[in-house]
Amino acid sequence: TGEKVPRIVSDSLIHPDWVADRAIHWGEDSALYQSKILGEFPAIGDPWQVVPLGWATACRYLEYPAGALPVEAGVDVGAGNDRTVITIREGMRIRHIEWFVNPDPVQTVPLIARVLQEHGVTCVKVDSIGVGWGIYGSLRDLSRVNNPQGLYTTHGAEVVPVNVAQSPTVGNEHKYTNRRAEMWWGIGREHSRLRLWDFSSLPRGLADELIHELTMPKYEIMDAKGKIKIEAKDKIRERLHASPD
């Protein structure tokens, strides 16, 4: 605006290049763009947002004690040029997030195994749809827990497959359209609402990315009983030019 301000203030202002980059990366319709760029800070935001911005943001300031168990991980396997993301939690705390892009599953498996071993992960849930099925199987073969008689094992985590296209768990069929909806609603939304996890130890940029991904999807009510359906990844990608990992 040309207004004269102290140097410490001018150095803290967002740059037009950064704004343009965030518009592409986050999407102008995203909650993070609206708050950080437009300065609009709704407590709840879009009523159809699965995880409201205010709930997700609160979890970055909770600072639960470190050293809690168990140490578990989740792996979202990326196909082709999509990134593979590994998220590690210690009790209620997000300890570490790591990602890489490698279209070769032969190289992807040892990269994941190394991260699991380095962080002492005891259980890892692996996206087992599509290319993820082969990654899950190979990680299972390399596990000292799943394959105790194996001649060559490289990590000590129990490997559990996760197929989000499956039906909801028994007793929840009337609540959710599939396992993905059950996970987003029961874990993503409710754990954020109740502040049952925190990511206060993550660097600011990484914490922003996590909030962005948490607040991407919307939901809809499918019937008179209130069955929940989560917005498809293709729809999210069409709306925001990205999809949550």
Side-chain angles (χ1 to χ4, degrees):
T1 62
E3 178 185 357
K4 291 184 177 181
V5 295
R7 176 65 181 271
I8 191 173
V9 175
S10 65
D11 287 346
S12 301
L13 296 175
I14 59 178
H15 193 278
D17 291 346
W18 186 78
V19 171
D21 178 71
R22 294 301 91 185
I24 295 171
H25 187 70
W26 290 339
E28 296 184 26
D29 187 45
S30 72
L32 204 58
Y33 184 91
Q34 291 172 9
S35 64
K36 284 190 169 288
I37 307 300
L38 303 181
E40 298 173 357
F41 302 96
I44 295 297
D46 190 318
W48 299 106
Q49 206 166 20
V50 179
V51 181
L53 176 62
W55 296 359
T57 301
C59 294
R60 74 186 300 173
Y61 304 114
L62 297 178
E63 299 186 7
Y64 284 116
L69 296 176
V71 177
E72 299 195 348
V75 178
D76 183 30
V77 179
N81 290 320
D82 289 339
R83 65 182 188 175
T84 292
V85 182
I86 309 165
T87 302
I88 297 174
R89 71 173 179 90
E90 184 176 354
M92 299 167 74
R93 246 183 139 168
I94 299 295
R95 177 203 278 188
H96 180 73
I97 299 176
E98 186 167 330
W99 64 80
F100 55 86
V101 176
N102 194 321
D104 186 351
V106 175
Q107 296 179 15
T108 295
V109 170
L111 287 171
I112 297 173
R114 173 187 57 78
V115 175
L116 300 179
Q117 183 65 20
E118 284 181 354
H119 290 271
V121 173
T122 58
C123 182
V124 56
K125 285 88 170 181
V126 181
D127 169 20
S128 61
I129 295 179
V131 68
W133 179 252
I135 302 296
Y136 154 71
S138 296
L139 285 173
R140 197 174 191 280
D141 290 341
L142 294 173
S143 167
R144 292 188 291 274
V145 177
N146 295 101
N147 189 19
Q149 304 303 320
L151 296 177
Y152 183 70
T153 55
T154 59
H155 68 88
E158 177 188 5
V159 184
V160 179
V162 176
N163 182 344
V164 297
Q166 285 182 321
S167 299
T169 52
V170 176
N172 286 319
E173 298 89 347
H174 65 292
K175 295 181 181 179
Y176 311 104
T177 54
N178 53 22
R179 189 70 56 89
R180 176 171 177 261
E182 183 176 13
M183 290 168 62
W184 265 104
W185 197 264
I187 301 173
R189 181 181 172 92
E190 281 303 283
H191 278 57
S192 297
R193 181 180 72 86
L194 298 173
R195 302 184 183 184
L196 294 180
W197 67 291
D198 90 86
F199 49 100
S200 56
S201 60
L202 294 180
R204 184 174 64 178
L206 196 52
D208 284 345
E209 288 299 311
L210 187 53
I211 291 175
H212 171 54
E213 299 221 347
L214 277 170
T215 55
M216 276 185 178
K218 296 184 179 182
Y219 73 95
E220 58 180 302
I221 305 296
M222 299 301 293
D223 56 29
K225 295 181 180 180
K227 180 179 283 190
I228 300 295
K229 179 182 179 181
I230 305 299
E231 185 179 18
K233 272 198 169 189
D234 288 345
K235 293 291 186 182
I236 299 174
R237 193 177 289 111
E238 181 181 319
R239 181 167 55 85
L240 297 176
H241 311 296
S243 62
D245 293 321

